Amino acid sequence: MIFCNFREFQRGVKIVNIKDIAKEAEVSVATVSHVINRSRYVSDNLINRVEQAMKDLDYQPNLLAGSLRKKKTGTIGLVIPDSSNMLFADISKSFEDMFFSKNYNIIVCNSAYDINREVEHLKNLRSKMVDGILMIPATREGGHIEKISTAGIPIVLLDRKIPGLEVDYVLADNYKGGFEAGKYLVSLGHTNIGYIDRIYPHSHSLDRKKGFESALAGSGISLEEGNIVKGGFTYDDGAGAVKKLLEKNRKITAVFSFNDINALGAIRGLADLKCRVPDDISIIGNDDIYLSSIYVPRLTTVHYPVKEIVKEAGKILLARIKEPIFKKSKEILIQTELVIRESTAAIIK
C-alpha cells in the first residue's frame, strides 16, 4: 500500500477544468458548458471538438455539482429488510434494471430487520439528497418514515402497510394468497392443518393468515393455536419450526408457511423426522422465489408479483419526483397467484 501527502499529490497533478477544455478545443467556456449540460443548441462540429478535447485531457465533469444546481442527484434510495433474502434480492435487481434505463442510480440499504439501522439509513439517504426512496419497512413503526415524507422526499412503501402512515403503497394481495393456499389444501382433503407464522407480525403476514383462516373456516375447519408455531427468517428456522409443530400435534397432514425459505426449511426438518413430502405431509410456501422451482420436491407456493410491484412502485415514484406538489397518496393492490407443484398431494383414504 502506498501513502502520499495529498497536497504534494495536488501539486504534481494538473486538475483539468472547463477553461482547459475550451482552450484545447478552441471554443468559448460557455460553449463547453452548453455541451456538457446540454443546455443550448451547439453544432455537431463544435460538440465533436469539445468531446475530443475532454477525451484527450481525460476530463470528468462534476456531475454532483450539476445535480445540486438542478436540485436533482439522479439517485434513488432502496431500503430492504434482508439483502440475503432471495425475494428482496430479486426486487432490488428489478429496481436497479428499471432505474438504470432511466439514468438513475440506486443506493441499496439493508436494515437487517433492525429499526435503528432503518432510521440511520433514512437519515443517510436524506443527507445524500436522493430524489426518492423505495422501502420495504422492517417494523410497524412509522415516525421516521413520516419525517422523510414531510421533508418533501417522495417515498413509496412496498409489501407492508403501516397503520396511520399516509404515503404511497404498492402491496401484494396477501389475503387472497392465504385464502387460495387454504382453499387448495382443503380441496385435497386436509383437515388437520398447521401454520408457520412470522415471528414478528406485520400487515402482510397478518393479511396472509386471515385469508388462510377464512378459507379453512369456509369448510368448517378452525386453525387451532396448537397448530401454529412462529418461524424466523432463515432455512434453519423453518426446519426448527416444523419440528416444534409436530411435537405439538403429530397428526398434522399439511402445513402452510408464511414464506418460501421457512417452507423449504420445513421440508428439510420433515426429512430429519423421516416424514416424506408430500406423501406424509403437504407443504405450501409463499413468495415463489427461484429456489422453490428447483428444490426437490418443487414447492407449491403463492407467487409474489415482483415485476408488477416494481413497475407500479417505480411509476409512482418517478411521477412524484417529476411533480413534487402534494397529491393524495395512492394504494395499489397487486394480485397474487397459487403455483401448484410437487410438495402438495391429496389425502389418501
Side-chain angles (χ1 to χ4, degrees), residues 285-345:
N286 196 101
D287 288 340
D288 194 20
I289 59 175
Y290 174 68
L291 188 58
S292 300
S293 66
I294 60 173
Y295 202 81
V296 180
R298 296 187 307 144
L299 184 67
T300 295
T301 184
V302 177
H303 175 72
Y304 186 92
V306 171
K307 290 182 180 179
E308 295 85 350
I309 284 178
V310 166
K311 179 181 177 181
E312 291 299 328
K315 187 191 302 183
I316 291 173
L317 191 66
L318 288 171
R320 295 292 191 194
I321 292 170
K322 184 177 180 181
E323 190 176 348
I325 299 172
F326 177 79
K327 289 183 179 180
K328 187 177 179 181
S329 57
K330 293 183 178 181
E331 181 177 320
I332 296 178
L333 193 66
I334 308 294
Q335 293 301 302
T336 55
E337 180 183 0
L338 183 66
V339 180
I340 299 171
R341 297 195 181 109
E342 299 162 355
S343 66
T344 47

Side-chain angles (χ1 to χ4, degrees), residues 174-186 190-197 204-219 221-224 227-228 252 254-258 282-286 302 338:
N174 286 290
Y175 181 91
K176 176 178 179 287
F179 186 90
E180 292 298 322
K183 181 181 175 183
Y184 180 62
L185 289 178
V186 170
H190 295 281
T191 56
N192 200 330
I193 300 172
Y195 186 75
I196 300 177
D197 199 3
H204 66 313
S205 63
L206 292 171
D207 287 345
R208 201 168 293 162
K209 186 179 178 184
K210 286 177 185 176
F212 187 66
E213 288 179 309
S214 179
L216 300 189
S219 297
I221 303 168
S222 61
L223 185 61
E224 304 291 344
N227 284 21
I228 302 172
I252 286 173
V255 176
F256 178 43
S257 171
F258 76 95
S282 290
I283 300 287
I284 296 185
N286 196 101
V302 177
L338 183 66

Side-chain angles (χ1 to χ4, degrees), residues 3-15:
F3 296 91
C4 65
N5 182 281
F6 181 67
R7 292 188 181 279
E8 291 179 0
F9 174 79
Q10 280 189 311
R11 284 196 293 269
V13 177
K14 167 68 174 174
I15 305 300

Side-chain angles (χ1 to χ4, degrees), residues 21-300:
I21 301 299
K23 183 178 179 180
E24 179 75 12
E26 298 182 345
V27 298
S28 69
V29 171
T31 297
V32 176
S33 177
H34 290 316
V35 171
I36 292 172
N37 297 304
R38 301 292 192 264
S39 51
R40 209 172 83 181
Y41 171 77
V42 179
S43 69
D44 291 342
N45 178 48
L46 291 181
I47 289 174
N48 291 335
R49 283 163 56 184
V50 170
E51 289 182 343
Q52 186 61 49
M54 291 168 63
K55 183 178 179 180
D56 292 342
L57 297 178
D58 194 25
Y59 173 73
Q60 295 295 323
N62 189 338
L63 298 178
L64 178 59
S67 296
L68 294 177
R69 284 194 297 272
K70 298 172 185 176
K71 297 185 177 179
K72 299 291 182 189
T73 60
T75 55
I76 301 293
L78 172 61
V79 184
I80 56 175
D82 181 2
S83 56
S84 68
N85 184 301
M86 291 183 71
L87 175 64
F88 301 143
D90 192 12
I91 289 171
S92 297
K93 181 185 181 301
S94 297
F95 273 125
E96 285 184 296
D97 291 344
M98 175 185 182
F99 281 100
F100 181 80
S101 69
K102 299 182 183 299
N103 298 316
Y104 280 90
N105 291 313
I106 292 273
I107 301 174
V108 181
C109 305
N110 174 30
S111 71
Y113 292 103
D114 184 332
I115 183 66
N116 295 318
R117 283 182 63 161
E118 190 172 86
V119 168
E120 286 304 310
H121 282 317
L122 289 182
K123 285 181 180 177
N124 290 334
L125 290 174
R126 183 177 178 182
S127 70
K128 287 178 170 58
M129 300 177 67
V130 295
D131 297 331
I133 295 173
L134 298 152
M135 182 175 179
I136 300 175
T139 73
R140 303 183 77 189
E141 297 294 324
H144 57 301
I145 301 172
E146 188 172 22
K147 286 180 181 178
I148 291 294
S149 181
T150 54
I153 301 174
I155 185 165
V156 180
L157 299 194
L158 297 89
D159 196 46
R160 297 132 200 230
K161 189 171 181 180
I162 296 178
L165 183 63
E166 291 295 324
V167 295
D168 294 313
Y169 292 95
V170 180
L171 311 167
D173 192 342
N174 286 290
Y175 181 91
K176 176 178 179 287
F179 186 90
E180 292 298 322
K183 181 181 175 183
Y184 180 62
L185 289 178
V186 170
S187 75
L188 295 176
H190 295 281
T191 56
N192 200 330
I193 300 172
Y195 186 75
I196 300 177
D197 199 3
R198 193 175 190 268
I199 190 167
Y200 303 115
H202 214 312
S203 65
H204 66 313
S205 63
L206 292 171
D207 287 345
R208 201 168 293 162
K209 186 179 178 184
K210 286 177 185 176
F212 187 66
E213 288 179 309
S214 179
L216 300 189
S219 297
I221 303 168
S222 61
L223 185 61
E224 304 291 344
E225 281 302 313
N227 284 21
I228 302 172
V229 293
K230 298 281 188 180
F233 302 115
T234 69
Y235 181 88
D236 288 341
D237 289 333
V242 80
K243 290 175 183 179
K244 289 179 183 177
L245 194 58
L246 291 189
E247 284 175 6
K248 296 169 75 172
N249 184 351
R250 194 74 188 189
K251 295 181 179 180
I252 286 173
T253 62
V255 176
F256 178 43
S257 171
F258 76 95
N259 76 4
D260 281 355
I261 293 297
N262 262 249
L264 296 175
I267 293 175
R268 174 69 262 172
L270 289 170
D272 293 341
L273 297 174
K274 310 301 181 187
C275 290
R276 298 166 300 169
V277 176
D279 297 348
D280 299 322
I281 296 181
S282 290
I283 300 287
I284 296 185
N286 196 101
D287 288 340
D288 194 20
I289 59 175
Y290 174 68
L291 188 58
S292 300
S293 66
I294 60 173
Y295 202 81
V296 180
R298 296 187 307 144
L299 184 67
T300 295

